[in-house]
Amino acid sequence: MSSILPRAFYERPVVEVARSLIGKRLVRRMDGDILAGIILETEAYDGEQDQACHAHSGKTRRNAAMYGPAGHAYIYFTYGMHWLLNCVTGPEEYPAAVLIRALTPVQGLELIARNRQPIAPAHWCDGPAKLTRAFSINGELNGYDLCRGAGELSIMDGIPIPTEDVQATPRIGINYAGEPWKSMPWRFVCTTRPDETPAIIN
DNA sequence: TCTTCGATTGTCT
DNA sequence: GACAATCGAAGAA
C-alpha cells in the first residue's frame, strides 16, 4: 500500500526533489478511474536567477503557481497545443518547480491507450506533453494540491531506484538561456529501461 | 495593440 | 533529420 508524499517532501531544494521524484508514482483519479505511472525523468527549475525558469523575469499570471506553497501543481500551456506538468517546491514565494518529463504507465492502461491512440505503448508517456495528454491533465489542475488525500492528482511512493540508475544531464529545450544555466545538470533520467522496471503490485 | 517565440510533438522526406 | 502546427504569454511600441 503506497502513501501520498507529504508536503515536507517538496519543501526541500528543487534539485534534490527532482532527483528523489524518480521512481515515484504519479496518480490521476477521474470519474472513479485511476491512472498511474512511475516517474522516469524530471527537470529542476530554480528561482528567478535561473534563466531557464519561467520565473526568471518575475512573477506573472502564468507562473503564479510557482510562487505558491510547495506540493502544488504548476501546469502551463506551450507551443499552442501542449500542457506541461510541474510540481512546486521550496518555500512559499520562492519560484521553483520540477518538470515531469516522462513516466511509464502502470495502472489504467485501457484509458491511457484510449487517450493516446493510435500511438504505440512505448511512446504513450515518453515526453512531457505526451504524459499530460495520456493522463488527461490540463490547465484546470493548475495550482492543484498534490498532497491532498484521494484528490484528482497526487504523487505517491513508488519503487526504489538505485542511485547509480539515476543519471544527471543538462536540461532540454532551453537554448535561449545563457550559461551557466544551460549546462546545469538538473535533468534526472532513470537509466533502467521501462520494460525492465520491476512489476508494480498494488 | 502588435510582434515574437516557446520547459514539444508528430509527420514527412 | 528537418520542419510545420498552433496560440497564449510576455515584452515592446
Side-chain angles (χ1 to χ4, degrees):
Chain A
M1 165 88 189
S2 47
S3 56
I4 293 182
L5 300 181
R7 194 162 321 276
F9 178 90
Y10 303 96
E11 291 170 337
R12 296 182 293 157
V14 64
V15 175
E16 209 176 305
V17 176
R19 190 189 294 110
S20 359
L21 273 175
I22 302 292
K24 296 293 187 280
R25 175 198 292 231
L26 179 74
V27 180
R28 172 84 167 105
R29 292 188 188 76
M30 44 188 301
D31 303 328
D33 291 311
I34 295 184
L35 308 183
I38 298 298
I39 297 171
L40 297 179
E41 191 177 333
T42 61
E43 275 179 16
Y45 290 86
D46 188 24
E48 297 181 352
Q49 75 279 5
D50 178 359
Q51 288 178 26
C53 180
H54 280 170
H56 73 89
S57 48
K59 188 174 184 175
T60 64
R61 212 165 89 204
R62 184 200 201 193
N63 63 30
M66 251 200 291
Y67 289 77
H72 287 244
Y74 166 44
I75 300 169
Y76 68 91
F77 193 65
T78 191
Y79 287 101
M81 59 184 89
H82 300 304
W83 292 102
L84 303 217
L85 169 66
N86 303 247
C87 53
V88 180
T89 70
E92 194 160 349
E93 289 308 316
Y94 182 82
V98 177
L99 170 69
I100 312 292
R101 286 190 61 87
L103 48 76
T104 184
V106 294
Q107 197 177 348
L109 302 187
E110 309 77 16
L111 212 50
I112 290 172
R114 201 183 315 159
N115 287 338
R116 297 297 289 140
Q117 284 300 341
I119 315 251
H123 299 294
W124 281 347
C125 300
D126 63 346
K130 296 182 180 182
L131 67 92
T132 56
R133 192 189 298 183
F135 278 56
S136 300
I137 292 169
N138 60 36
E140 290 175 18
L141 288 170
N142 189 28
Y144 195 86
D145 185 0
L146 300 171
C147 304
R148 188 164 134 183
E152 293 184 59
L153 189 63
S154 44
I155 301 180
M156 313 184 76
D157 281 336
I159 55 178
I161 304 282
T163 317
E164 62 266 26
D165 286 350
V166 178
Q167 191 183 358
T169 78
R171 295 171 289 180
I172 303 289
I174 55 163
N175 285 329
Y176 59 89
E179 298 291 1
W181 311 108
K182 207 159 62 172
S183 304
M184 292 304 239
W186 287 351
R187 170 175 176 246
F188 297 96
V189 186
C190 175
T191 53
T192 311
R193 297 187 65 81
D195 50 47
E196 291 170 10
T197 48
I200 306 303
I201 300 167
N202 283 330

